């Protein structure tokens, strides 16, 4: 089962680099160029220079920058191997919503092929992103950000250990990025590390966020083996592990925008939907969201549809219909809202096949319901579909069946911050 390991993290020497809050950044794949420049204006040593390099030869430049920062003491290896407790405190909505905390564990995890059933994916990935991360690993031999994974611990044994360890000392880092307060503790006690390692010996890990990076780590290890390079550190990858039943675990939906369809006919689409869905009207975004919330509480499969003028709530009549369209898939996969939407409406009724979706030709995504609505109003999209969140237990059920959900099925919030700890793969 899962093999986790303490490691000597590469971390900033704050006496030389500056304030930790100015050295970290958001995940690389959600950073715009303007945001990237803002990070560098705050501090030229910001991790974005390594995690999201730009220029004529960005990967080589990232490798040179990393080596320079190590040589000049900007980055230093911890003296002793450790596990790192990472806590995020946040509101579920900006300036409102419920206050939550999620306390997790950062460690190394031994790489396993997906077929081994130890580390399980839940979502399809794109090849371009994997090539980018592979080129960066080849140039730096380092993990700058953690893969986010979940584990099952019904009795919360590990959470109690983590809480006890955190209560013994003040966090090494504590700062806010404006939305989330981040805290980090360093655990070097060998007995505590061994106990946590034993906790995970019988567990599987479910990737929540970072599929590209995990697949890249597997590819990088194969590449080193083919080159005959001895790099034991590449047998492991840096992960943040969260208890999947933690109250602080939040998953937001990712909404669908349909665009560029010739001869799009909204009335005809709604009429066709009546074969499988019960439509009902909503007056605006607020009432549509209320209807979705009610459907979620009642375990119904429903979508809010907007065509620029009218709102419709489409509620599935009978989920068994998916057996006819997806007989090769598990019941867990067929019960997903995204599976229902993609199969019955996007593919069957609108003719947007899987290849089209993957290439984002006629389908794009957003986490913001307001952004989806405005895109339709301004004529940038034909229509949009607002979804409910995928439940964590649904994600794990699909992964346990050896299946992957469609792309952009989940959005775990908040995103893990990058730059607190790094994993130098040259260290065994």
């Amino acid at each position: 089962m899962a093999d986790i390991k303490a490691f000597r993290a590469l971390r900033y020497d704050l006496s030389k680099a500056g304030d930790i809050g100015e050295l970290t950044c958001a995940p690389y794949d959600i950073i715009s160029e303007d945001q990237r420049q803002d990070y560098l204006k705050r501090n030229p040593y910001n991790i974005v220079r390594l995690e999201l390099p730009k220029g004529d030869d960005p990967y080589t430049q990232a490798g040179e920058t990393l080596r320079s920062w190590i040589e000049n003491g900007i980055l230093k290896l911890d003296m002793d191997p450790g596990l790192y407790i990472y806590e995020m405190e946040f509101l579920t909505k900006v300036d409102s919503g419920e206050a939550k905390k999620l306390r997790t564990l950062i460690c190394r995890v031994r790489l396993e092929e997906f077929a081994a059933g130890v580390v399980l994916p839940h979502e399809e990935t794109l090849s371009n992103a994997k090539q980018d991360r592979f080129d960066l690993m080849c140039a730096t031999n380092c993990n700058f950000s953690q893969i986010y994974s979940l584990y099952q611990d019904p009795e919360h044994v590990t959470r109690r250990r983590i809480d006890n360890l955190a209560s013994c000392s003040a966090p090494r880092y504590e700062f806010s990025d404006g939305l989330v307060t981040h805290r980090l503790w360093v655990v070097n006690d060998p007995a505590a590390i061994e106990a946590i390692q034993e906790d995970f010996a019988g567990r599987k890990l479910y990737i929540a966020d970072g599929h590209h990076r995990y697949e890249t780590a597997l590819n990088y290890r194969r590449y080193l083996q083919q080159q005959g390079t001895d790099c034991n550190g590449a047998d492991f990858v840096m992960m943040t592990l969260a208890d999947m039943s933690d109250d602080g675990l939040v998953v937001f939906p990712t909404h669908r925008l349909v665009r560029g369809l010739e001869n799009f006919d909204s009335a005809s689409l709604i009429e066709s939907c009546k074969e499988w869905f019960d439509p009902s009207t909503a007056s605006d975004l607020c009432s549509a969201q209320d209807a979705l919330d009610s459907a979620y509480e009642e375990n119904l499969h429903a979508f809010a549809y907007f065509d620029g003028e009218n709102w419709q709530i489409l509620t599935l009549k009978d989920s068994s219909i998916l057996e006819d369209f997806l007989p090769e898939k598990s019941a867990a996969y067929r019960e997903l809202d995204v599976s229902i939407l993609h199969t019955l409406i996007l593919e069957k009724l609108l003719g947007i096949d899987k290849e089209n979706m993957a290439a984002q030709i006629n389908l794009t995504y957003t986490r913001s319901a307001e952004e989806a609505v405005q895109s339709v109003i301004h004529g940038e999209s034909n229509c949009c579909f607002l979804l409910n969140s995928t439940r964590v237990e649904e994600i794990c059920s699909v992964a346990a069946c050896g299946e992957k959900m469609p792309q952009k099925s989940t959005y775990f919030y908040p995103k893990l911050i990058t730059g607190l700890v790094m994993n130098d793969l040259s260290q065994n």
Side-chain angles (χ1 to χ4, degrees), residues 90-155:
F90 57 98
L91 296 175
T92 53
K93 295 180 181 179
V94 177
D95 298 327
S96 64
E98 183 182 357
K100 286 183 175 287
K101 285 184 181 180
L102 179 64
R103 191 170 279 175
T104 66
L105 186 73
I106 303 176
C107 59
R108 274 182 169 181
V109 173
R110 184 179 295 278
L111 286 169
E112 299 279 0
E113 297 289 345
F114 291 142
V118 176
V119 179
L120 300 171
H122 83 268
E123 200 169 68
E124 297 288 353
T125 56
L126 300 173
S127 59
N128 288 346
K130 284 182 279 189
Q131 185 62 50
D132 163 63
R133 294 296 95 182
F134 178 79
D135 291 340
L136 185 62
M137 285 190 75
C138 287
T140 63
N141 197 39
C142 193
N143 302 144
F144 300 118
S145 56
Q146 313 94 271
I147 293 162
Y148 188 6
S149 296
L150 311 177
Y151 61 89
Q152 292 179 322
D153 182 14
E155 303 300 322

Side-chain angles (χ1 to χ4, degrees), residues 25 27-42 46 48-49 51-55 58 61:
C25 72
Y28 76 98
D29 54 353
I30 62 173
I31 298 174
S32 69
E33 181 56 25
D34 286 344
Q35 290 171 323
R36 181 179 174 277
Q37 292 298 330
D38 285 342
Y39 283 128
L40 295 176
K41 287 176 184 176
R42 286 184 227 168
N46 189 284
V48 77
R49 193 180 294 279
E51 177 74 335
L52 189 60
K54 298 290 184 178
Q61 183 178 347

Side-chain angles (χ1 to χ4, degrees), residues 362-377:
N362 295 116
L363 185 68
T364 57
Y365 310 89
T366 179
R367 190 175 68 81
S368 168
E370 291 80 3
E371 181 180 305
V373 170
Q374 289 303 312
S375 178
V376 178
I377 290 175

